[in-house]
Each structure stands twice: as C-alpha cells, then as structure tokens.
Amino acid sequence: MLRFASRTVVLVSVVLAAASWAQVGLVPESTPQQDPRRRVDGHQLVEVRVNTQSQLDALLGLAESVWSENIGLGLLDVQLPPGAVEKLPELGIPHRILHDDVQSLIDAEWAEIQRRNTLRDISWYENYHNYTNVINYLNTLAAAHPTLATVEIAGQSIEGRNIPVIRITAPGDASARPVVFINGTQHAREWISTKVVMYIAESLLTGYGSDTRVTDLLNECEVIIAPIVNPDGFVYTWTNYRLWRKNRRGGYGVDLNRNWSVGWGGAGSDGFTSSEVYRGTAPFSEPETDAIRSFVESDGRVVAAIDYHSYSQLILWPWSYDYLDPPADELARFTDVAYAMRQEILNAGGVPYSPQPSYDLYLAAGVASDWFYGAANAFAYTIELRDDGFYGFELPPSQILPTCQENWPAFLYFAEQAIRPVVISIPGGAPATASTDQPTVFNVTISDAASSYEPGTGMLHYRVGSSSFTSAPLTSLGGGLFQAALPSAPCGSSIDFYITADSTDGRTVSLPSAGPDAPFTATAVEITIAFEDNMESGTGAWIAGVAGDTATTGQWELANPQGTAAQPEDDHSNPGTMCWVTGALAGSSLGTYDVDNGATTLITPRLDASPAQADGIDAWLVYYRWYSNDQGAAPNSDSMPIEISNDDGATWTQLELVTENLNRWERREFNIADFVTPTDQIRVRFVARDLSPGSIVEAAIDDVRLELRGCACAPADMNCDGELNFFDVLIFLDLFSASDPAADFNNDGEFNFFDVLIFLDMFSNG
Ligand code: 0X9
Ligand code: ZN
C-alpha cells in the first residue's frame, strides 16, 4: 500500500520578470578563482569486448567508470586510468581506444563553453549553463507566461539546494487534468537532459495559443517538469569533477537512479558506497528522490512520465529491475508509442533512437521509471539522449539544440498519446497502393492500456477521389488487433482514408490525428502477381546456405516451426504451416537452436521485375518477417540485413536492417525501383547472423510476393487508346446509364452524381 505523504508546496517568488531571453542567456558563468576541478589526465576512453564474467569483474576492478549503458557481457565503453589499458591483453579482453585522453575532451568542452559565453545572439540552447543560470532561466520563463506556468520547489537536496519544478497548463481549473511528468539530471554529468526538458517547457509555453496541438494538449493536461533533480551533483560537475554521476551524500554519493523503491536492492545496484551504482541505505533514503516521490504522490494526477538521461539514444520501457514485461496490452502500447517516438525524432531530422525494454540493456533495480510505472501507475519511459558514444557525456554545445529539436516532437506525441485513452496504429504502415479489383486489407491495432476503448467504435473512413467520406467498422481479430479494408477503385484514382476509435468517456481518437483534414492516401493500381510463394510446396529454387556462411547452428530451413519465446509457433500463411526459419526446433533452451557463431543466408529464386521498366508500372516486393534478438546474455547486439540484387546476386543493396523485436509477423513492402533498377535478375537475401556471443537470434520468412502494380490506361481513358477525348465521355455515359460496374467510380454499388464527378475529375486531370 502506498503511503501518500502530504507536503506543503512552497511557491517561489518569481524574479527577473522583465528580463529578455537573450539577457538571461548571457549571464556569465562563475569561474572559480582557483580552479579546484579534478583532472583525469591520461585517462582513456576504451571500447572493450568482455566475453566472460571473470573478465568483466577484472575490468570493473581496473576501470575508473563505465560510460556505456550496458554493464554486462558484450561491448562496453569504459574510462580507464593511465596504465590500465596495457593490462587488457593479458586478461584476453580485445579493445579499441576511442579517446586517448579524457581530460582533453573535458578541456575542449570547457573552452567551448567559455567561448560561447562571449558570443552574442546565441540562444540559451546553444550553450550549457550552471545551476544558478538554469534556475534563473526557469523563473524567467514562468514570469513571461504567468497564466500558463508556476514554479514550485519540490524539496531540497542534501546540501540544501532547491529542487524546482515548473507546472505548465492552460488557464482555468486544472485540478481534474491528468499530469505528464518529466525530469532531467538525476545523473549529474548528463547535462543534455536538463537542456532537453527546459526546451520542452519553453516550446509548450510559446506554442500555447499559436500551435493547435500544443494548445489542445495544455487544455487537456498539465505538464510538470523538474529540470534538475540532483542539484548538488550537478553543481559538483561544474566546480569539481565533470564526470560525477551520483548525489553528494557523504562525499561518496548515492546513485539516485538506484534509490527508488520498486525493485530496490536488486540486480545492477550496489551496497558499497564507492560504487557508481550505490543504492543508498534504503529506498528514498535520499532527499532528492524522496522530494520527487512525495511531490508526485501528493499531486496524485500523474499518468505518464519520462526520466531523461544520456547517452546512447535509447527509448526504454519497464521493467528495468528484472527480465519481465508488462501485460500484453500495455507492452503493445509501450512498443507502439516508442517506435512512433523514434519516427518523430527521425522526421524532425534527428538521429536514430532505439526502442527496447529496459532490461535488454542490463538489469537496474530501483530506477525512477520502474517506480513511476509500478508504484505511481504511470506510462513511463527512460530516454537516453545523444550521442552514441563518440563524445559520451561531453556532448558538444553545438549538439544541444539539435538534440532538443529532435526530442520536442517525440515528447509532444508521447504526451498526446499518454493522456488520450486509446492509441491507434498501423503496424505495417498505411498502405500506399490499393487494388482495382479487390479490397486492400491491412491490420490496425487499438491499444487500450487504460481499458477505455469503447468496443465496436473502431472505424475506417475512406473516400475515392474527391467524394465524401464513407465509414466502415473495423473487423476485430482479437487482442487489440483489427482489420481494415480499402475498397477497390478505378486504376489511378486516389483513396483518402483515416481511422478513428472512441473512448468510453466519449472522446474520438483519430489516426492520422487530423483525420479528414490530413488523411492517408493510397493510389489504386492494377496488381499482377508475378511471383508468390507461401512456402507450403517445397523449397523450389530457394537457396538456403551459401559459401561463406559461418553459423554453426540455426541455419535457415523450410519447416513447421516449434514455438519458443523467440520464434513463432505458427507460420504466417493461412491456411498453411510452413515457413523459412532459422532452426525450427525448440530444443531444451532458447539457445539450443538459435543462430550461433556467425551468419546464415537465405536467397529467393530469381524474380522477373522487368515489366516495371515500362511507364506507370512498379514492381513491389512483399514479405512477412519475424525477428527476435532481445533475449539471452547480450540482447540486441545483432541485426538482420535484408538485401536486394538486380544482377542475379553479383551485387547487393540493402532494403532494411532489421532490429525490431516485435515477436510477431511483420509485413513489409518495398518498391524495387527505390533501391535498384528492376530487371529480370532480381534476388533478395535474408542474412540472419549472430556476431555477438551470448545473443539469441531467431528469424523467419513467409509469404513472399512480387507484385506488378500500375495502370495500363489512365482511369478516364475508357477505350484505353492513350487519349482522353469525347469518345471516352460517350463510353462512360453509356456504361453509366446501363449501370455497368465499370462506371461505378467510387465502387459504392450506386450510380449517381459522385461517379460522374470522379470521372470528370480524372478526365480533366489526365
Ligand atoms: O543506469 C541508469 O541509471 C540509466 N543509464 S545511465 O547511463 N544514464 O546511467 C538507465 C536506467 C534504465 N534502466 C535500465 N537500463 N535497466
Ligand atoms: Zn543517467
């Protein structure tokens, strides 16, 4: 049972009311008189590969600090003191030096911060700022938006510094609005996290009233942002040691992200004060974590949270303290929203962030996001910001703004999804083409973690050409999975569509969110199946295994797979049982028949895509794939390249590099011309590989097709003579008055004004 402590919240008097942003950005950082900062001259940043626990133990004895996320077997970034790197060969640990002198990284960063301090006209997000400056900037932001924001103090650190939070919501009574809580800098050295959450605060404040999504969001919820949860540690990184992680308890420090109660004391935390992951003497023994806990509990409205860290570019969901997943519907929601956030980041021109369960990285007991999810019942992620390890914690000031900009749309999406009760997604992506003679079927998921989906309200809305929208209910396939079917339509016509679902409290959620104002669009095309194999009738001309393959188990085979936690029990075809799979047997453990010690290659028969060289015809490759690499001792260290050749296998071009671990069949389709010129020498190969010992790799392929899609004649070219003229109009009118299906341009079974409209539309648009 949770104990909800009540706490009086102190309103901070807001200062600097009239200051402009630029002024605040130019407040000079205080430079200590005599520089007491600890130096780490000669320390090296080294990438190592540890294969055994005893190697890991020896390495941890040598290392000053582990920088990478992954404190386990496999690849690690470690900071080594002078002389340590020479000991790696005798321990049998292969290594690569990433930076020869960590101090020079720190010096370069400091020099750049000083240089930028002298620049005029740079925004607050183009340089790092110290604690005092952050607090001033936060107060200034609130003062500039007094109807939207208030700053409060959640509590004090061990050394008595304030832990501020800013509440942001639309004017009016906010007491019933759900709260989205985000924080930065639990870990002192992860400076970028403070910048990102401040940027989110400022974007919300400036977007209210001008950006409809922000306005809607703040009308519906309150966002609470704690930019610096660990003020003492943060100050210490500025004044004493740049690479300090923990709080300042006793001078040795407690890792605040091991001090939360859920799973406290377990794996990936330590009872020794000297450890980087020292958990403290009890859950919430530290005033910093306790302040946030009681703030959140006394508020009582938090429904979603993100704890921002750096680095590694990851989007992590629970659980972190053990190899456990949330219940299936909540897991689907975590997975879907995380992949959508990744896409938002990419769409903003950002760098790739990998979505995955926290435990995939390593177990870490007592982390904030487990507490938010497990104790506060919130939809909670940990996000590891830039970079991927080149600069690590010393992310150059030039990357602050890009990191903020890429994370803002991901946050906005997250907050919208988190406060809205129902989340709709299309797992394989919205179809880009539809058929001229049969419905185009695709899957839709409606994730319903909050049990607030109103059954039966899932709808597909579509229109052919510029007619009005028709609505059709989705067909339930069970477990939150639905099927939608676009109607067939005349070749070349466009079909706009969107999906909606209602929540039990009467709200309608739409995908895309703007519904009819910005729908998906598919183009109707004639589809000729040039090749199709559901794998039910033998291996045919498929090639399983090539010279150079190195896998010793789990080679590709055509079989009816035995289901495990990593591979499917059922193939994809219905009816059917057979698919290509990497070792079909289940074996005694997950690691028995997975891919081990190298690569195994599967190549399709030679496919003829040459008709696609004609005008208006595209050759599309369609397949269903299964991939799993998120279990075992070194999860997510492998990937499966899928490549295409147009010269019978002499050269290859990548179609996709599979890393998703959705543990379900996924449909993928590619327009071949986007990758290689379509020829009659097309082959596709699937390379499942285990490059990292200890990683479980399973893959499967089914239902491969080559489809030729296009329009032989323009849709209004009724006699198909390549010209649009009076004769086509005549033919159309004839067919129309005879109620011939060929004149039913919106395929609704009726012959009316809309069909004429669509015909005329197509006639005038060619
Ligand atoms: O170890 C942590 O606290 C976080 N990584 S960091 O490098 N910023 O310190 C990650 C915590 C998320 N949970 C797991 N990775 N299990
Ligand atoms: Zn961290």
Side-chain angles (χ1 to χ4, degrees):
M1 181 63 191
L2 267 179
R3 203 169 45 83
F4 280 80
S6 72
R7 167 178 290 269
T8 356
V9 176
V10 190
L11 263 175
V12 155
S13 63
V14 164
V15 286
L16 285 166
S20 77
W21 314 142
Q23 269 175 303
V24 175
L26 288 171
V27 170
E29 305 294 338
S30 62
T31 316
Q33 243 20 43
Q34 239 183 344
D35 195 343
R37 286 176 298 150
R38 178 182 164 199
R39 297 185 60 83
V40 285
D41 293 290
H43 281 223
Q44 292 167 308
L45 186 62
V46 182
E47 183 187 75
V48 295
R49 180 180 285 285
V50 279
N51 292 327
T52 65
Q53 188 61 40
S54 65
Q55 284 180 337
L56 181 62
D57 293 342
L59 178 79
L60 293 178
L62 287 177
E64 168 76 28
S65 171
V66 177
W67 281 34
S68 61
E69 301 310 309
N70 190 357
I71 311 182
L73 301 187
L75 285 178
L76 288 180
D77 297 351
V78 289
Q79 178 190 344
L80 295 178
V85 77
E86 282 89 70
K87 305 198 175 107
L88 295 180
E90 66 206 46
L91 295 168
I93 300 178
H95 71 275
R96 185 164 74 92
I97 295 176
L98 300 175
H99 286 288
D100 217 18
D101 183 10
V102 172
Q103 185 62 44
S104 69
L105 271 182
I106 298 176
D107 293 343
E109 182 191 56
W110 187 249
E112 180 61 7
I113 290 171
Q114 300 304 321
R115 188 185 74 79
R116 286 179 177 241
N117 268 334
T118 67
L119 300 181
R120 312 196 134 263
D121 299 331
I122 64 168
S123 83
W124 196 72
Y125 301 96
E126 289 171 279
N127 204 1
Y128 290 111
H129 295 93
N130 66 15
Y131 174 72
T132 310
N133 188 302
V134 172
I135 301 300
N136 288 344
Y137 196 81
L138 188 71
N139 288 328
T140 309
L141 275 181
H145 303 275
T147 60
L148 300 176
T150 51
V151 173
E152 297 173 14
I153 302 305
Q156 265 89 29
S157 65
I158 289 187
E159 293 174 357
R161 291 187 180 86
N162 285 340
I163 302 170
V165 298
I166 186 168
R167 289 180 187 271
I168 304 176
T169 190
D173 179 10
S175 58
R177 293 179 192 159
V179 165
V180 177
F181 182 93
I182 62 173
N183 69 273
T185 307
Q186 275 205 84
H187 288 143
R189 61 194 172 188
E190 297 164 11
W191 291 358
I192 184 63
S193 62
T194 291
K195 284 287 169 174
V196 165
V197 299
M198 290 289 284
Y199 186 89
I200 290 169
E202 185 157 0
S203 303
L204 289 168
L205 292 171
T206 55
Y208 186 80
S210 58
D211 179 310
T212 50
R213 283 178 67 191
V214 173
T215 310
D216 287 352
L217 183 75
L218 293 179
N219 285 334
E220 283 174 61
C221 79
E222 179 168 302
V223 181
I224 302 182
I225 298 171
I228 305 182
V229 170
N230 176 9
D232 299 347
F234 185 71
V235 167
Y236 194 74
T237 59
W238 280 80
T239 57
N240 290 70
Y241 180 42
R242 173 66 184 90
L243 295 173
W244 190 256
R245 168 182 167 100
K246 301 183 278 183
N247 75 352
R248 290 296 300 154
R249 163 78 65 192
Y252 46 80
V254 170
D255 182 355
L256 295 180
N257 208 29
R258 298 295 181 277
N259 191 238
W260 300 74
S261 58
V262 171
W264 184 86
S269 72
D270 209 319
F272 294 104
T273 55
S274 59
S275 165
E276 287 274 63
V277 288
Y278 174 50
R279 63 178 84 108
T281 52
F284 302 116
S285 58
E286 304 312 294
E288 295 88 354
T289 47
D290 200 45
I292 301 297
R293 173 193 65 79
S294 60
F295 179 86
V296 168
E297 286 180 353
S298 58
D299 183 277
R301 296 172 299 152
V302 176
V303 297
I306 300 179
D307 177 23
Y308 285 92
H309 288 252
S310 72
Y311 55 94
S312 284
Q313 297 164 203
L314 301 168
I315 304 171
L316 306 171
W317 60 80
W319 294 92
S320 173
Y321 77 98
D322 201 353
Y323 297 109
L324 293 173
D325 288 320
D329 57 342
E330 297 184 28
L331 178 62
R333 187 181 187 213
F334 275 121
T335 310
D336 290 348
V337 174
Y339 274 93
M341 280 198 272
R342 168 195 163 87
Q343 197 54 49
E344 291 288 337
I345 292 170
L346 291 173
N347 292 350
V351 297
Y353 284 59
S354 305
Q356 53 184 265
S358 289
Y359 62 69
D360 261 9
L361 208 52
Y362 51 87
L363 294 184
V367 305
S369 53
D370 275 5
W371 182 83
F372 272 97
Y373 178 58
N377 200 20
F379 182 58
Y381 290 96
T382 304
I383 290 188
E384 299 281 355
L385 299 161
R386 288 196 195 187
D387 61 5
D388 60 4
F390 187 80
Y391 291 105
F393 304 113
E394 266 97 7
L395 187 71
S398 60
Q399 292 198 41
I400 300 171
L401 189 56
T403 309
C404 293
Q405 286 167 335
E406 72 198 8
N407 276 281
W408 158 242
F411 168 78
L412 185 59
Y413 177 87
F414 162 78
E416 288 172 344
Q417 298 297 312
I419 60 160
R420 293 182 186 147
V422 168
V423 182
I424 309 170
S425 59
I426 303 179
T433 61
S435 161
T436 52
D437 54 14
Q438 59 189 19
T440 299
V441 170
F442 60 99
N443 285 347
V444 173
T445 61
I446 298 179
S447 162
D448 180 29
S451 296
S452 44
Y453 170 60
E454 181 69 53
T457 58
M459 291 280 186
L460 170 72
H461 310 266
Y462 61 85
R463 67 167 176 211
V464 179
S466 51
S467 58
S468 51
F469 279 96
T470 302
S471 305
L474 303 178
T475 310
S476 174
L477 302 177
L481 194 61
F482 296 82
Q483 208 167 58
L486 293 177
S488 57
C491 211
S493 56
S494 62
I495 306 175
D496 291 337
F497 61 101
Y498 63 97
I499 292 156
T500 59
D502 294 352
S503 65
T504 42
D505 61 2
R507 287 185 279 172
T508 298
V509 179
S510 174
L511 181 79
S513 55
D517 297 333
F520 298 114
T521 300
T523 306
V525 288
E526 274 151 18
I527 300 177
T528 311
I529 298 171
F531 171 85
E532 179 167 36
D533 196 340
N534 61 8
M535 317 304 166
E536 302 300 327
S537 48
T539 58
W542 285 78
I543 301 167
V546 298
D549 274 1
T550 42
T552 52
T553 59
Q555 290 93 346
W556 285 108
E557 59 178 323
L558 186 70
N560 177 357
Q562 293 180 345
T564 71
Q567 82 183 12
E569 163 70 28
D570 294 314
D571 76 331
H572 179 265
S573 341
N574 186 14
T577 55
M578 307 286 280
C579 61
W580 287 103
V581 56
T582 54
L585 295 177
S588 52
S589 76
L590 272 190
T592 322
Y593 291 109
D594 77 317
V595 182
D596 276 329
N597 300 315
T600 173
T601 305
L602 174 70
I603 304 181
T604 64
R606 194 190 302 133
L607 310 176
D608 182 2
S610 58
Q613 288 175 354
D615 214 23
I617 307 279
D618 287 317
W620 287 75
L621 178 77
V622 184
Y623 53 77
Y624 285 80
R625 61 159 163 79
W626 179 290
Y627 184 71
S628 174
N629 180 224
D630 62 351
Q631 314 201 45
N636 292 299
S637 36
D638 287 302
S639 58
M640 175 166 74
I642 300 183
E643 297 162 317
I644 190 163
S645 169
N646 66 352
D647 50 16
D648 206 18
T651 58
W652 295 93
T653 301
Q654 187 166 294
L655 288 170
E656 61 165 340
L657 185 67
V658 186
T659 56
E660 296 165 305
N661 293 290
L662 299 174
N663 272 306
R664 63 183 180 216
W665 285 103
E666 283 289 301
R667 180 182 190 275
R668 284 292 176 272
E669 61 173 36
F670 300 92
N671 184 349
I672 290 176
D674 292 343
F675 298 87
V676 294
T677 304
T679 65
D680 60 357
Q681 306 279 309
I682 298 288
R683 285 186 191 269
V684 180
R685 73 177 177 190
F686 307 85
V687 185
R689 56 190 189 181
D690 174 41
L691 303 180
S692 181
S695 142
I696 303 286
V697 177
E698 290 286 11
I701 297 294
D702 204 1
D703 292 339
V704 177
R705 272 184 173 195
L706 179 70
E707 297 184 353
L708 300 170
R709 303 181 189 169
C711 298
C713 0
D717 185 6
M718 302 304 284
N719 56 6
C720 213
D721 65 353
E723 283 173 38
L724 289 175
N725 52 28
F726 177 69
F727 296 107
D728 299 305
V729 181
L730 272 186
I731 295 172
F732 172 77
L733 292 175
D734 268 1
L735 293 170
F736 184 81
S737 48
S739 293
D740 187 303
D744 182 12
F745 266 51
N746 59 4
N747 277 349
D748 63 353
E750 287 172 32
F751 296 85
N752 53 25
F753 176 69
F754 293 111
D755 302 301
V756 180
L757 212 67
I758 296 169
F759 172 77
L760 292 177
D761 224 40
M762 290 174 171
F763 187 83
S764 50
N765 294 327

